[in-house]
């Protein structure tokens, strides 16, 4: 499984599942939107003791600034 000249430190036998998302192959736009626009602000709100809306007000401008970029 290792490529020539590349060290393989992954313990493959201990891994049950590997998911690769190739531009919506596994995870569609609805999932992406839910994750970034709802779930992630909720986790941020819980971590920093904010309301969900306060969290969205902080996070959405950051996300909008990255739209169309491949960061």
């Amino acid at each position: 499984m290792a490529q020539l000249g590349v060290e393989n430190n992954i313990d493959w036998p201990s891994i049950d599942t590997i998911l690769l998302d190739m531009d919506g192959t596994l995870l569609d736009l609805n999932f992406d939107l839910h994750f970034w626009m709802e779930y992630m602000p909720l986790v941020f709100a819980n971590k920093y003791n904010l309301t969900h809306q306060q969290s969205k007000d902080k996070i959405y401008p950051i996300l909008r600034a990255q739209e169309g970029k491949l960061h």
Side-chain angles (χ1 to χ4, degrees):
M1 184 152 252
Q3 297 176 2
L4 256 186
V6 176
E7 190 173 329
N8 186 352
N9 292 326
I10 299 172
D11 183 14
W12 290 108
S14 69
I15 298 173
D16 293 324
T17 305
I18 297 172
L19 299 175
L20 304 173
D21 184 29
M22 306 299 290
D23 293 330
T25 303
L26 297 177
L27 305 174
D28 64 8
L29 180 59
N30 287 329
F31 177 86
D32 284 348
L33 288 174
H34 175 75
F35 179 85
W36 291 107
M37 306 306 277
E38 296 299 326
Y39 180 73
M40 199 260 300
L42 183 60
V43 171
F44 186 85
N46 289 334
K47 182 173 182 172
Y48 293 103
N49 197 29
L50 301 169
T51 67
H52 197 191
Q53 188 58 50
Q54 287 171 323
S55 176
K56 287 179 180 182
D57 292 344
K58 288 183 177 284
I59 292 174
Y60 283 7
I62 297 167
L63 295 175
R64 282 192 199 98
Q66 297 304 313
E67 284 180 355
K69 299 177 183 175
L70 292 174
H71 290 271

